[in-house]
Amino acid sequence: MGSFQNIFKNMRVSSGYTQAEIAEKLGVSRSTIGMYETGAREPDFETLEAIADLFNVDTDYLLGRTNKTTLLPETVGHYYMNDETREIAQEVFENPDLRSLFHVARDIEPEELRAHIDFMKRLKARERGNDIEGC
């Protein structure tokens, strides 16, 4: 599967999940998640699909066959209750510095999501020593 172990771990970490939390969501043991991340074990097809659904990406992205993913057509308009919120969430997902916000409540108001994004940008700017107003 090539890059799966790295992609999976990066997605888990950037989403703020622990191995135990992902294991619970997928119905596998924490040690199984650890083995996926070290490359000692690979998920079966059903688990790979469950991982893709969890992170809202396609399996080609998880397998390293493509480095870009988008919201899957069958989920667009269904996961997020508001179209504007969905568009903002896509922006968040595509920005590695903001990806930890990707799993906010699906019914969040667009203004609230935008406020969270602005807050995260300010924190990142502060970490880098940038002018906060300039983010």
Side-chain angles (χ1 to χ4, degrees):
M1 283 200 198
S3 303
F4 170 78
Q5 67 193 54
N6 299 321
I7 293 167
F8 176 65
K9 183 174 183 177
N10 287 337
M11 291 188 75
R12 176 187 64 77
V13 170
S14 67
S15 297
Y17 288 123
T18 65
Q19 287 184 345
E21 290 169 330
I22 291 290
E24 183 177 331
K25 290 179 179 297
L26 296 175
V28 300
S29 70
R30 198 234 26 98
S31 64
T32 297
I33 299 301
M35 288 188 278
Y36 290 165
E37 292 183 0
T38 62
R41 185 171 177 183
E42 297 175 342
D44 59 25
F45 183 73
E46 290 79 19
T47 305
L48 186 67
E49 285 184 323
I51 294 167
D53 290 346
L54 178 66
F55 291 114
N56 198 28
V57 297
D58 55 67
T59 54
D60 279 347
Y61 179 80
L62 284 175
L63 297 174
R65 293 180 180 160
T66 180
N67 62 1
K68 184 165 173 72
T69 190
T70 57
L71 293 174
L72 301 176
E74 62 270 15
T75 64
V76 170
H78 296 281
Y79 185 79
Y80 293 100
M81 303 302 223
N82 179 295
D83 288 341
E84 185 179 356
T85 301
R86 178 185 44 76
E87 291 170 8
I88 294 168
Q90 183 66 32
E91 175 188 335
V92 170
F93 181 75
E94 291 174 357
N95 183 329
D97 288 338
L98 301 175
R99 205 169 283 151
S100 65
L101 292 173
F102 191 72
H103 294 287
V104 296
R106 68 185 179 127
D107 61 347
I108 193 169
E109 292 296 319
E111 304 80 39
E112 292 178 57
L113 183 57
R114 180 60 64 197
H116 285 290
I117 292 169
D118 291 342
F119 175 74
M120 292 297 292
K121 285 180 178 178
R122 285 187 181 97
L123 284 178
K124 286 293 182 183
R126 194 174 285 170
E127 284 177 9
R128 294 180 184 126
N130 294 341
D131 181 289
I132 295 174
E133 297 299 318
C135 23

